[in-house]
Amino acid sequence: MNIGIVGMGLIGGSFAKAYRAENHAVYAFDIDESILSFAKLSNAATGILDQDTIGLCDVIIIAVNPGDAAAHLEKIAPLIAQNTIVIDCCGVKRTVCERCFPLAEKYGFTFAGGHPMAGSHKGGFKNSRADLFRGESMILVPHIYDDAVLFGRIEQVLKPVGFGHLSVTTAEKHDEIIAFTSQMAHIVSNAYIKSPRAHGHKGFSAGSYKDLTRVARLNSDMWAELCIKNNDFLIQELDDLIAAISSYKEALIEKNQQKLRDLLEEGSRIKGEVDC
């Protein structure tokens, strides 16, 4: 296959390396030409994705921020062949799909929203790797939810990447759940590390501290954009969390050990239920 990759950061670079590991041709684009040069030098790309190669691609992966993803697709849409599948990798789906589905319909290619459930707090092409997605889940948001033929086509073009599971959903449901599973986790971790005691943690911290603060170090531009574009669902999650945290605080103020125990037991039970 001929693969087009827009954005050669952690995600785009990992897609490129995965496809190259299976001997597929990869045409890459990034606004940083030095990254493109390094990608070609390291054999992660076989050429540049431009007006001469866009039409050759069987699949185009767009791995940039949501606003840039839709804007870039608007630029290249007239050059995309009608048998091409275009998949974005943005962390929100409503704002991307509402701009990209009409483009696909207008120019005759296929667009599906996508969100690979893998990543790292260390970004950039230098941290990309061919096995980043191996065994992980890929969320797909096709225009037609129950099109089995389309799903089969997408499954085939993604097969070389090594995803362990493909999930199909709507843009609305994706954004609702991702607000809880991803965006909230980053906000909570980022807020938690702002404690005045944080600078004195060395020698006093172990696994629980590391687990909770792993994603506190993040790309602030990217995550601010993702959270703002999903603010309705995220505000709902924050309201729920603030209400729950307030219950723990009340138990501590009251020195009510039984109430605190019940709250802790409830959380432990729910964790067991949702992750079983």
Side-chain angles (χ1 to χ4, degrees):
M1 290 188 294
N2 291 324
I3 313 299
I5 308 284
V6 178
M8 289 293 283
L10 174 70
I11 300 301
S14 294
F15 267 102
K17 291 177 180 179
Y19 279 114
R20 287 297 298 135
E22 296 295 321
N23 295 316
H24 296 285
V26 171
Y27 300 101
F29 172 82
D30 196 282
I31 57 174
D32 189 336
E33 293 188 2
S34 66
I35 291 177
L36 285 178
S37 297
F38 188 71
K40 290 178 67 178
L41 187 65
S42 61
N43 198 35
T46 51
I48 302 299
L49 184 67
D50 57 21
Q51 61 183 4
D52 296 322
T53 56
I54 289 171
L56 302 177
C57 294
D58 300 291
V59 59
I60 296 176
I61 305 292
I62 302 180
V64 295
N65 291 352
D68 295 331
H72 192 82
L73 186 56
E74 287 171 352
K75 292 179 182 178
I76 68 172
L79 303 172
I80 298 174
Q82 292 194 358
N83 64 339
T84 301
I85 295 175
V86 179
I87 303 172
D88 83 284
C89 298
C90 299
V92 290
K93 294 273 72 80
R94 286 176 295 172
T95 59
V96 175
C97 289
E98 69 185 14
R99 290 177 64 184
C100 294
F101 283 142
L103 288 170
E105 184 175 1
K106 179 179 179 180
Y107 291 101
F109 60 86
T110 299
F111 174 82
H115 189 182
M117 292 289 95
S120 170
H121 62 286
K122 295 180 179 180
F125 179 78
K126 65 180 180 180
N127 292 304
S128 63
R129 62 180 200 270
D131 64 349
L132 181 67
F133 309 117
R134 190 156 300 280
E136 304 295 346
S137 177
M138 175 66 160
I139 302 173
L140 296 168
V141 179
H143 194 194
I144 301 174
Y145 182 76
D146 57 353
D147 188 336
V149 174
L150 172 59
F151 183 78
R153 288 181 62 205
I154 295 174
E155 188 176 31
Q156 280 300 114
V157 299
L158 290 178
K159 188 174 181 180
V161 181
F163 287 108
H165 180 69
L166 302 181
S167 301
V168 179
T169 188
T170 64
E172 183 90 4
K173 178 55 76 172
H174 169 277
D175 288 359
E176 179 184 10
I177 297 176
I178 284 298
F180 168 68
T181 62
S182 179
Q183 293 159 0
M184 269 293 289
H186 284 79
I187 285 179
V188 170
S189 180
N190 194 265
Y192 171 78
I193 201 63
K194 294 177 182 179
S195 167
R197 268 67 60 186
H199 289 284
H201 81 86
K202 291 183 179 179
F204 293 82
S205 56
S208 55
Y209 168 84
K210 293 177 181 178
D211 289 344
L212 188 52
T213 60
R214 183 181 66 82
V215 294
R217 180 178 290 179
L218 44 69
N219 181 327
S220 57
D221 288 333
M222 181 186 76
W223 282 101
E225 180 181 356
L226 291 172
C227 291
I228 291 297
K229 289 184 182 297
N230 206 28
N231 69 325
D232 51 350
F233 286 130
L234 194 49
I235 289 169
Q236 179 181 317
E237 288 296 336
L238 280 167
D239 285 342
D240 292 343
L241 178 65
I242 290 168
I245 289 291
S246 296
S247 298
Y248 290 84
K249 183 178 180 180
E250 288 170 4
L252 290 168
I253 291 173
E254 297 166 4
K255 296 184 179 179
N256 188 331
Q257 186 169 331
Q258 184 59 46
K259 181 178 179 180
L260 182 59
R261 181 200 172 281
D262 290 344
L263 288 168
L264 293 169
E265 179 61 29
E266 179 186 32
S268 180
R269 174 180 57 79
I270 293 173
K271 170 65 175 175
E273 292 172 354
V274 300
D275 288 345
C276 64

